[in-house]
């Protein structure tokens, strides 16, 4: 008889990955919040800490995993870490919550022109999350979204033919765009969506800029983008295409360093 087996089972270390795999479904949160928690965990904590023993993870480990993140992503990831370690503490798997000793980053509420999709996908807007993501990935004006029904979605496309006010804003507004996110019916008025976006300094209409910027980063030609946006004049689309965000400047610097490195 192998008398060491029970002790071996008891001493098997619990990694961060194995613990989170067990608790995600047990958390008393909405499915949407759970999905966002898992997404933030997999993107920002799992790559460096997933295989590490839970009880050995320190405040410094968490700070290192999050130090390069944008403020919004850092905040959400810290909240996820606090939840994970709170659950671990309740199960007596750790002696404290290292994430609670990390100061939450200050998120400045300032007007910004639009969210990028990379920022938006990490955010939870509660009841309106799916509608906000739908607008950001299809470029509809709110009046067009409010008039949309399931019957307008077929053959892998969203067919925009009307607005809640009747006709589309211009003849160019009659268009079809690729379906990229599940459709959820929209209320007639945008007040609820505007309310959850307002603390972040963006508007409902700015989600069209998110769509245009995503088209730009996907290498979609500006004239095609204008058609997808329903712009009668491609110069309107060009205004978004010529906007340069800080991360693009950083990326251009990285690209130039790589080129210079190859040339030297």
């Amino acid at each position: 008889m192998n008398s060491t087996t029970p002790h071996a089972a008891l001493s098997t270390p619990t990694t961060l990955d194995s613990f989170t795999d067990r608790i995600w479904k047990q958390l008393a949160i909405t499915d949407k919040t759970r999905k966002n928690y898992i997404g933030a965990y997999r993107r920002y904590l799992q790559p460096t800490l997933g295989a590490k023993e839970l009880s050995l993870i320190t405040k410094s480990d968490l700070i290192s995993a999050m130090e390069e993140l944008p403020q919004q992503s850092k905040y959400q990831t810290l909240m996820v870490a606090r939840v994970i370690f709170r659950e671990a503490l309740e199960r007596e798997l750790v002696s404290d919550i290292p994430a609670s000793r990390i100061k939450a980053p200050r998120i400045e509420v300032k007007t910004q022109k639009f969210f990028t999709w990379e920022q938006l996908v990490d955010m939870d807007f509660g009841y309106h999350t799916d509608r906000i993501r739908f607008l950001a990935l299809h470029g509809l004006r709110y009046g067009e979204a409010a008039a949309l029904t399931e019957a307008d979605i077929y053959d892998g496309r969203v067919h925009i033919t009307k607005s809640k006010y009747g006709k589309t804003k211009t003849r160019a507004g009659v268009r079809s765009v690729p379906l990229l996110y599940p459709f959820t019916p929209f209320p007639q008025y945008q007040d609820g969506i505007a309310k959850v976006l307002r603390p972040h300094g963006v508007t409902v209409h700015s989600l069209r800029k998110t769509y245009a910027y995503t088209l730009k980063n996907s290498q979609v030609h500006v004239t095609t983008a204008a058609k997808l946006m329903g712009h009668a004049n491609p110069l309107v689309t060009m205004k978004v295409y010529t906007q340069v965000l800080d991360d693009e400047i950083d990326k251009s610097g990285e690209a130039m360093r790589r080129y210079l490195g190859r040339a030297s």
Side-chain angles (χ1 to χ4, degrees), residues 3-14:
S3 60
T4 63
T5 301
H7 299 286
L10 288 172
S11 63
T12 301
T14 299

PDB file of all heavy atoms in Angstrom, residues 3-14:
ATOM      1  N   SER A   3       1.372   4.659   1.158  1.00  0.00           N
ATOM      2  CA  SER A   3       0.824   5.551   2.172  1.00  0.00           C
ATOM      3  C   SER A   3       1.084   7.024   1.860  1.00  0.00           C
ATOM      4  O   SER A   3       0.556   7.902   2.520  1.00  0.00           O
ATOM      5  CB  SER A   3       1.416   5.224   3.551  1.00  0.00           C
ATOM      6  OG  SER A   3       2.830   5.372   3.507  1.00  0.00           O
ATOM      7  N   THR A   4       1.915   7.281   0.849  1.00  0.00           N
ATOM      8  CA  THR A   4       2.247   8.682   0.561  1.00  0.00           C
ATOM      9  C   THR A   4       1.269   9.332  -0.410  1.00  0.00           C
ATOM     10  O   THR A   4       1.280  10.534  -0.591  1.00  0.00           O
ATOM     11  CB  THR A   4       3.659   8.778  -0.054  1.00  0.00           C
ATOM     12  OG1 THR A   4       3.664   8.085  -1.290  1.00  0.00           O
ATOM     13  CG2 THR A   4       4.693   8.188   0.880  1.00  0.00           C
ATOM     14  N   THR A   5       0.395   8.529  -1.010  1.00  0.00           N
ATOM     15  CA  THR A   5      -0.510   9.071  -2.033  1.00  0.00           C
ATOM     16  C   THR A   5      -1.406  10.189  -1.527  1.00  0.00           C
ATOM     17  O   THR A   5      -1.504  11.242  -2.151  1.00  0.00           O
ATOM     18  CB  THR A   5      -1.366   7.938  -2.639  1.00  0.00           C
ATOM     19  OG1 THR A   5      -0.495   6.976  -3.209  1.00  0.00           O
ATOM     20  CG2 THR A   5      -2.297   8.493  -3.702  1.00  0.00           C
ATOM     21  N   PRO A   6      -2.105  10.022  -0.357  1.00  0.00           N
ATOM     22  CA  PRO A   6      -2.966  11.106   0.120  1.00  0.00           C
ATOM     23  C   PRO A   6      -2.187  12.390   0.360  1.00  0.00           C
ATOM     24  O   PRO A   6      -2.641  13.477   0.048  1.00  0.00           O
ATOM     25  CB  PRO A   6      -3.541  10.549   1.424  1.00  0.00           C
ATOM     26  CG  PRO A   6      -3.438   9.070   1.287  1.00  0.00           C
ATOM     27  CD  PRO A   6      -2.182   8.841   0.521  1.00  0.00           C
ATOM     28  N   HIS A   7      -0.959  12.257   0.933  1.00  0.00           N
ATOM     29  CA  HIS A   7      -0.176  13.451   1.208  1.00  0.00           C
ATOM     30  C   HIS A   7       0.263  14.123  -0.081  1.00  0.00           C
ATOM     31  O   HIS A   7       0.291  15.335  -0.180  1.00  0.00           O
ATOM     32  CB  HIS A   7       1.052  13.081   2.049  1.00  0.00           C
ATOM     33  CG  HIS A   7       0.680  12.480   3.384  1.00  0.00           C
ATOM     34  ND1 HIS A   7       0.186  13.249   4.400  1.00  0.00           N
ATOM     35  CD2 HIS A   7       0.712  11.195   3.826  1.00  0.00           C
ATOM     36  CE1 HIS A   7      -0.066  12.469   5.454  1.00  0.00           C
ATOM     37  NE2 HIS A   7       0.239  11.220   5.122  1.00  0.00           N
ATOM     38  N   ALA A   8       0.584  13.321  -1.077  1.00  0.00           N
ATOM     39  CA  ALA A   8       0.987  13.881  -2.368  1.00  0.00           C
ATOM     40  C   ALA A   8      -0.153  14.667  -2.990  1.00  0.00           C
ATOM     41  O   ALA A   8       0.043  15.735  -3.559  1.00  0.00           O
ATOM     42  CB  ALA A   8       1.435  12.766  -3.312  1.00  0.00           C
ATOM     43  N   ALA A   9      -1.368  14.118  -2.853  1.00  0.00           N
ATOM     44  CA  ALA A   9      -2.528  14.801  -3.422  1.00  0.00           C
ATOM     45  C   ALA A   9      -2.757  16.130  -2.722  1.00  0.00           C
ATOM     46  O   ALA A   9      -3.073  17.147  -3.336  1.00  0.00           O
ATOM     47  CB  ALA A   9      -3.767  13.920  -3.307  1.00  0.00           C
ATOM     48  N   LEU A  10      -2.568  16.128  -1.377  1.00  0.00           N
ATOM     49  CA  LEU A  10      -2.788  17.346  -0.622  1.00  0.00           C
ATOM     50  C   LEU A  10      -1.741  18.413  -0.945  1.00  0.00           C
ATOM     51  O   LEU A  10      -1.998  19.599  -0.874  1.00  0.00           O
ATOM     52  CB  LEU A  10      -2.757  17.035   0.886  1.00  0.00           C
ATOM     53  CG  LEU A  10      -3.956  16.262   1.435  1.00  0.00           C
ATOM     54  CD1 LEU A  10      -3.711  15.864   2.882  1.00  0.00           C
ATOM     55  CD2 LEU A  10      -5.215  17.111   1.329  1.00  0.00           C
ATOM     56  N   SER A  11      -0.533  17.974  -1.280  1.00  0.00           N
ATOM     57  CA  SER A  11       0.550  18.927  -1.494  1.00  0.00           C
ATOM     58  C   SER A  11       0.665  19.398  -2.945  1.00  0.00           C
ATOM     59  O   SER A  11       1.548  20.178  -3.257  1.00  0.00           O
ATOM     60  CB  SER A  11       1.884  18.297  -1.067  1.00  0.00           C
ATOM     61  OG  SER A  11       2.169  17.161  -1.873  1.00  0.00           O
ATOM     62  N   THR A  12      -0.194  18.888  -3.816  1.00  0.00           N
ATOM     63  CA  THR A  12      -0.143  19.336  -5.211  1.00  0.00           C
ATOM     64  C   THR A  12      -0.411  20.832  -5.276  1.00  0.00           C
ATOM     65  O   THR A  12      -1.449  21.300  -4.803  1.00  0.00           O
ATOM     66  CB  THR A  12      -1.192  18.598  -6.061  1.00  0.00           C
ATOM     67  OG1 THR A  12      -0.950  17.201  -5.992  1.00  0.00           O
ATOM     68  CG2 THR A  12      -1.135  19.068  -7.507  1.00  0.00           C
ATOM     69  N   PRO A  13       0.517  21.615  -5.814  1.00  0.00           N
ATOM     70  CA  PRO A  13       0.338  23.070  -5.823  1.00  0.00           C
ATOM     71  C   PRO A  13      -0.819  23.495  -6.723  1.00  0.00           C
ATOM     72  O   PRO A  13      -1.076  22.888  -7.760  1.00  0.00           O
ATOM     73  CB  PRO A  13       1.677  23.588  -6.360  1.00  0.00           C
ATOM     74  CG  PRO A  13       2.242  22.458  -7.154  1.00  0.00           C
ATOM     75  CD  PRO A  13       1.801  21.211  -6.437  1.00  0.00           C
ATOM     76  N   THR A  14      -1.509  24.538  -6.296  1.00  0.00           N
ATOM     77  CA  THR A  14      -2.596  25.105  -7.085  1.00  0.00           C
ATOM     78  C   THR A  14      -2.051  26.283  -7.870  1.00  0.00           C
ATOM     79  O   THR A  14      -1.592  27.266  -7.285  1.00  0.00           O
ATOM     80  CB  THR A  14      -3.740  25.585  -6.179  1.00  0.00           C
ATOM     81  OG1 THR A  14      -4.258  24.474  -5.449  1.00  0.00           O
ATOM     82  CG2 THR A  14      -4.861  26.212  -7.003  1.00  0.00           C
TER      83      THR A  14
END
